[in-house]
Amino acid sequence: MPRDELASVRPHLDDLADDDENTRIQASRAILLSLEGASASTVDRAIDRLFTGLTSGRKSARVGFSVTLAELLTRALGAPGDGASEATVTFARVLELLRSRTQPKGKPAGPEREHYLGRLFGLEAILSGGTILHDAVSEDQWHDFLSLLFELAERKSWLREECFWTLYRFVQTTAPSDRADTFLQATVEKLRSDKMALTPEGVAVWLAVQKHHAGVPLPQKPWHRRDPLRRKNAEKLAAAMKGSPAASAGEKSTADEDRRQRGSWSALPHFAWRVIMEHLYQVSEDGKHLDFATFWHTCVDDHLFSASASAERKHSGFALFCQVVLDAPKHVLEALFTENFLKCLINHAAEKERYLHRMAIKCLKAIHARVERDPDSAAPISKGLLDGNGTPLFDQFTKTKTVTAIVTGASPAVLPKITSLLLDRIRRQDAADAETVESRRRALGEILAAALGGMKGTAAEASTYDVLFSICGLAYVDERTPPPEPPLSAGSRDFFRAKLSSIFARQISSTTPTERLDWPRRLISDLRRLETSDARSMLMDFDDVVDKGRHAAWERVQRLKEAQVAVEDERKRPLQMVVLLYSITMLELYNGDGDALSSLADLDLLCDKLLDHEDADDSFSELLVESLLALVSKPSQLLRRLAQQVFGAFTAELSLRSLQLLYDVLASRESIAGQEQLFERDYGSDVEDVAEVRAGRKRKAVDTEETDDEHEALEDVQGVVQADTSGMDGQDHESLASDVEMVTGSDADDTSSGADANEPDAADEDAEHAKLSAALAEIVQTQRVGATTAEQEDDKSGSDEEMDDEAMFALDESMARVFRERLKQKQTVKRKDDRKAARTNMVHFKNRVLDLLDMYIKQEHSTPRCLTVLMPLLRLMRMTRTKQLSERASSLVRSLSQKRKGAKDHRQPSVAQHGDDELQSNGAAAGTSSNAEPSSSSSSSSSSSSSDAASLTLLREIHDEACRGGGSRPHGSACSLASLLLVRQLVRKDGATVDAVAQIYGDTQREWFVDRKRHLIHQIFFLDWLNWGAEWGRLQVEGQQKTSKKLLQGGKNQGKKQEKQGGEQGCEQHQVKHQEDKQGGEQHQVKHQGKQHQGKQKKGQHQYRQHQHEPKSQPDKGSVQHTEQQHKNKKRRKKKEMQDVKY
């Protein structure tokens, strides 16, 4: 055949190697079209060229050439069922070309690899096109094909899985037929004879033939009952999947068998695992076949995750788990968490240094992915991790939040199952160690709390409350039938009480449904009902006083619930908040809080005023705020959130006196004095701060206490020093020194016994002891601790002389001085610790108050009363030494300024009308600093005038506060925001007040110029004012221009209207004149009626005169000219006014 016959094929061969799929398809189509009707020799050469191209590693050459080759072989050999005469090439020729063109030539490993890969793609092309089932292919040729395939799999172990995957796909996709069954029977026999049946590849092909071609007779060996999934084949199947079937059967394998049975290790799971899993996912009820749990335990857990398994096998096991956990049905997920697997997972996930740490984390991520995709799968997965082989401490061991995330992502349908499992595990623990039981119960409690957070929606309300009541039972109830095993300890019950509080803290918010807000009351009701139960009993034993207060509080709760039903909708939530406050306080009483009873007494007063409709009285709001301040002062997240929600329900009813209670907290000092002033605590150690608050307190008591301590220490020392001083020689000084050291140590212990946790460490204590020992040794001239031999000889040489009485008294005074200094140092350290603790408490308390004010600003920002928060916030920024408080106060000022922009005041009366005497007096005192008073017009009302006066007074106070800021930019910026907020409110209400505002700013700036030391203000205060003034002026000009345009348009409309009215007036005048002439003509006719001698000429003249007096269609000319002249004059005046405004 001439070479140029393939000329139409060669241009497309290069495109077959292109990475673009569309380009390869177009090239393949062009080649096949060019070979239609070609001779057998041309097709033979084309097949030869395509086989040669399979050995190329360029781009996607193998893919393109194999696809084209498969289609060309189908056309050349004919479709299955066609006669042999239709074929243009024989199958023997195809195998010959495949073997010859893919046979490696040469020793380099690179070309050998390319040729063997080309052979694999050639074999796949033959199988995928269905060419092998052509009538022209004999059984011997099929054996030759299998030999070529098995030879490649045995020679190159890294190609074994791909070779048998090709054969597996052929078995799976081939339709049953006599010819196919014959070939497949020969295939299975080839597996058995070549010892490949007991390999993962052989198992996959065997199962594929068994499933898709049930009519193919299978050999009796090596599988029992010809089925690898029989229960008796479990060990053999496990060994086959592991890769060592001979060793598991107790036989010795030859080197050739090992070479055939063992393939190369791969990081990805073998495809045979997926084939087996698909069979095992189907539930077997006959009991003769393996179920999934047995297979996983035998073949995976005992072989891939055993203690003796290599890291590679464990890696394969982890990869298999990731694959199965994503694909398996829900009923088999629990069986995945076997003992050895969980041990390996926990060990490798806990430590980053482990070799398989990444793979273990990948398994945890696969679990998360399955739960996210299928939330119902959370139930079997959580049971597998927590129960059976799992442990409640899984998250702690792995240092992750795996179980918590699974429970949180579970669907509402399976959450009751999970919570039931958790509660059962809490009540039943099989660990013998009490510490282990305690830790497990705590871990399960944390997971249970997370599960409650995921139970949302109306459908889960009942289940959520049941779980909440179960936790309440673990905290407060002693169950007798059946009791927990082992019994719950006091620490466990305290933990569940704290966990119950944290659950309520998460539940309480402004968006919480009313049903959930009522859960604490329902819990109290159920607990009261359990008090009379025989199977359960309450752990708390209340005395008569507490029990009486508890019952009285419950009666008021019932009254509040009845009142809540009768009131309007807007009044229901405040009553609900009071009920919630009662319920939480009663739970605190069950917790053993000593202050809960007094809190209930305060709530009783609050409830009585609320039910007696005295909520408009200031005393109600003051009592409410005092109660809430008592709650936020405690270190409890539940009480803090509860106080915020109750405060938010009553913000509209708060008076200035009640708000002043919050302002007083912000104004208090962050020291022991401020803490004493608010909480009425006597600290006694910080005398200076206490004297500032309580002027009547003297230092006498403290001095007396110090003197007593000194005398006690001196008496101890004197008892040692004066012990038998007569006859003391130089050798007795060593015993004296030892006695002194003993007293020193006891003194240090006694002094530090009541110290705080913030005391100096052991090194500092040792240094102090060394200093004290050195001072005492210097006084008594004895041996010092740690002194050298030379120093000790020097000390002994100076102690030969005996001490007289004067020396003894001098020694006494010196030692007293040393101990006095020592005692002062201890007191100084204690005072520092007390100051630090007091400051921390005050900062915490002020933050809680700022939380309340933040809620007040959000809900009441449009009311005039909300402006009263400005001065306390500005003073806090100036007085506090905590940066966080200053920033928080600044953010609240900014928030109020932003919310008040464009807001109109409502809920009159105004600030001045709501203010109390103290605030009014303060405002009056502040108002004397400036003599600028806004002039009120005669048309303004008295309430508006008083409101403006109060706002101007507040503006002067803000300016005075700005002068005290010390030049701080944050303080000056906040004062500027507050000042401009009031300016906007005043100018929006009455533009005439801008003169008074400008005068106040002028006075402040003049004081700033004159006395910079006393009035140090940051320049941003005046820059913001100038910027606002420029903006305000621009808006005023724009407003005047709009007004002028409206007036000009109104003038044009007025001129047209006057012109129209003038024309109508002229027509009316002509009509009146015509009527008069008509009446005169009628009189004339009556007068001359009898004169017959007058002719027709006079009658015609009369008619002509009557016609001249008829009304005309145009208006009077003089009237129209006068109207136009007025319009022109008005237009000139408006134009001149607009020019003046622009100038």
Side-chain angles (χ1 to χ4, degrees), residues 287-348:
K288 298 179 181 180
H289 290 78
L290 285 172
D291 57 349
F292 182 86
T294 304
F295 170 79
W296 185 267
H297 182 272
T298 305
C299 300
V300 179
D301 192 64
D302 290 345
H303 288 79
L304 299 182
F305 293 107
S306 62
S308 59
S310 62
E312 290 78 11
R313 292 195 183 278
K314 291 179 180 179
H315 186 284
S316 300
F318 283 143
L320 178 61
F321 174 83
C322 294
Q323 174 182 298
V324 175
V325 78
L326 292 173
D327 300 337
K330 291 188 290 293
H331 68 271
V332 302
L333 288 177
E334 185 181 349
L336 293 175
F337 302 95
T338 49
E339 182 180 2
N340 292 333
F341 165 72
L342 285 176
K343 287 181 180 180
C344 291
L345 181 64
I346 292 174
N347 292 335
H348 289 279

Side-chain angles (χ1 to χ4, degrees), residues 423-717:
L423 290 171
D424 183 69
R425 291 285 291 160
I426 290 173
R427 295 189 179 98
R428 301 286 182 270
Q429 284 292 326
D430 53 359
D433 187 9
E435 185 178 355
T436 304
V437 173
E438 186 77 14
S439 59
R440 288 182 178 180
R441 281 175 171 167
R442 288 175 179 266
L444 291 170
E446 295 286 350
I447 300 172
L448 187 60
L452 281 177
M455 301 178 73
K456 300 178 182 179
T458 56
E461 292 294 328
S463 301
T464 307
Y465 179 77
D466 292 341
V467 176
L468 201 62
F469 180 71
S470 300
I471 298 177
C472 187
L474 295 173
Y476 304 110
V477 181
D478 184 14
E479 298 184 5
R480 298 192 184 97
T481 55
E485 290 294 338
L488 289 169
S489 63
S492 297
R493 294 191 184 275
D494 291 340
F495 168 78
F496 286 113
R497 291 170 186 170
K499 190 53 60 179
L500 192 65
S501 299
S502 65
I503 292 172
F504 282 137
R506 290 197 301 266
Q507 294 287 340
I508 296 175
S509 65
S510 58
T511 59
T512 303
T514 307
E515 293 77 8
R516 296 205 170 198
L517 290 178
D518 196 44
W519 282 352
R521 186 198 62 82
R522 291 178 58 187
L523 287 178
I524 297 297
S525 177
D526 293 338
L527 288 176
R528 289 174 59 87
R529 189 176 65 253
L530 290 178
E531 293 178 4
T532 59
S533 175
D534 296 333
R536 300 175 182 179
S537 63
M538 298 297 299
L539 294 174
M540 295 296 297
D541 188 12
F542 302 105
D543 56 14
D544 295 338
V545 177
V546 176
D547 196 60
K548 183 179 179 180
R550 184 168 61 94
H551 289 298
W554 180 249
E555 292 177 359
R556 284 180 170 82
V557 170
Q558 296 298 101
R559 290 176 57 193
L560 287 171
K561 289 298 295 182
E562 295 175 358
Q564 186 179 357
V565 177
V567 298
E568 300 177 354
D569 293 339
E570 61 271 10
R571 296 289 301 168
K572 289 183 181 295
R573 187 166 183 85
L575 291 176
Q576 179 65 46
M577 288 294 104
V578 178
V579 172
L580 181 61
L581 187 58
Y582 257 113
S583 303
I584 296 298
T585 307
M586 293 181 71
L587 282 178
E588 292 294 322
L589 187 65
Y590 280 100
N591 290 337
D593 189 359
D595 298 334
L597 189 61
S598 60
S599 300
L600 286 177
D602 295 338
L603 289 178
D604 291 342
L605 297 177
L606 189 69
C607 178
D608 293 339
K609 288 182 175 294
L610 187 61
L611 293 177
D612 295 340
H613 305 285
E614 298 180 5
D615 50 347
D617 190 8
D618 290 348
S619 61
F620 169 78
S621 59
E622 292 179 23
L623 183 59
L624 176 65
V625 172
E626 288 178 355
S627 301
L628 297 182
L629 286 177
L631 291 180
V632 298
S633 64
K634 299 179 180 180
S636 173
Q637 183 182 12
L638 171 61
L639 298 180
R640 176 166 58 89
R641 291 196 177 185
L642 177 62
Q644 292 177 4
Q645 297 305 317
V646 176
F647 183 84
F650 289 95
T651 52
E653 302 173 6
L654 297 179
S655 63
L656 279 179
R657 292 185 182 276
S658 59
L659 290 175
Q660 188 63 34
L661 297 175
L662 302 177
Y663 302 157
D664 292 342
V665 176
L666 299 182
S668 59
R669 298 180 59 184
E670 298 168 9
S671 61
I672 295 181
Q675 185 173 249
E676 225 179 22
Q677 183 181 6
L678 290 178
F679 301 105
E680 298 180 357
R681 296 177 182 175
D682 187 8
Y683 277 83
S685 58
D686 195 346
V687 182
E688 298 176 358
D689 291 339
V690 174
E692 294 178 3
V693 180
R694 299 182 178 180
R697 176 174 293 183
K698 304 298 182 180
R699 191 164 176 167
K700 180 177 179 181
V702 179
D703 294 338
T704 304
E705 181 181 358
E706 294 177 359
T707 306
D708 295 340
D709 293 338
E710 293 174 3
H711 283 309
E712 182 178 358
L714 289 176
E715 289 174 0
D716 293 339
V717 175

Side-chain angles (χ1 to χ4, degrees), residues 103-121:
Q103 182 65 33
K105 297 178 181 179
K107 295 183 179 180
E112 183 183 63
R113 177 179 179 275
E114 301 295 339
H115 282 73
Y116 283 131
L117 285 175
R119 178 171 295 183
L120 174 62
F121 275 85

Side-chain angles (χ1 to χ4, degrees), residues 1-18:
M1 161 186 166
R3 283 184 176 272
D4 55 1
E5 289 188 7
L6 290 179
S8 59
V9 176
R10 291 193 184 94
H12 304 289
L13 294 176
D14 187 64
D15 291 339
L16 288 179
D18 198 277

